[in-house]
Amino acid sequence: MEANEPRARVLWKVLPALGLLLVAWMLMWLAQSIPTVCALAFPCPAPDVRAAPAIIFGGLMLVPMLMLLVVSATGGSGYQWVSRVSYVALVSLAIVGLGTVLFSGGFGIPSF
């Protein structure tokens, strides 16, 4: 962290990434309660079929988040490309992870 840059400013640099991480984790957690579809040709998936992708992608999202924290805390202006790559990786992992979690067990239509 540079001497003229307060900690609050570093927090504002990382806050959007932290918000994205927490929202993605919340959506992955909420996706666990969506009922699964049983196809006629295949057996029904296990009730916790969405847990493994959520844990894997949720954990992988920590890597770009930590990279953003390190780059923001050190304040190196020569490492702005690391911030950009980390944001792209974080958004990509969130989108792919949510898609994987949602489609891993299919969708169910609740009976009325």
Side-chain angles (χ1 to χ4, degrees), residues 31 34-39 45 50 98-110:
I34 296 174
T36 57
V37 172
C38 295
R50 292 186 177 105
L98 286 170
T100 304
V101 168
L102 285 175
F103 291 108
S104 63
F107 289 103
I109 300 172

Side-chain angles (χ1 to χ4, degrees), residues 16-31:
L18 184 63
L20 175 69
L21 180 72
L22 293 177
V23 167
W25 280 354
M26 183 187 70
L27 290 175
M28 286 183 195
W29 176 65
L30 289 173

Side-chain angles (χ1 to χ4, degrees), residues 12-105:
W12 282 107
K13 286 182 178 180
V14 182
L15 200 59
L18 184 63
L20 175 69
L21 180 72
L22 293 177
V23 167
W25 280 354
M26 183 187 70
L27 290 175
M28 286 183 195
W29 176 65
L30 289 173
Q32 304 301 317
S33 63
I34 296 174
T36 57
V37 172
C38 295
L40 293 175
F42 300 108
C44 288
D48 60 346
V49 71
R50 292 186 177 105
I55 292 170
I56 290 170
F57 281 99
L60 284 175
M61 288 173 65
L62 288 175
V63 174
M65 184 66 200
L66 290 174
M67 293 296 289
L68 284 167
L69 283 171
V70 168
V71 169
S72 296
T74 57
S77 59
Y79 295 107
Q80 292 301 323
W81 63 273
V82 175
S83 296
R84 291 185 187 115
V85 170
S86 296
Y87 267 110
V88 169
L90 186 64
V91 170
S92 300
L93 283 170
I95 291 170
V96 172
L98 286 170
T100 304
V101 168
L102 285 175
F103 291 108
S104 63

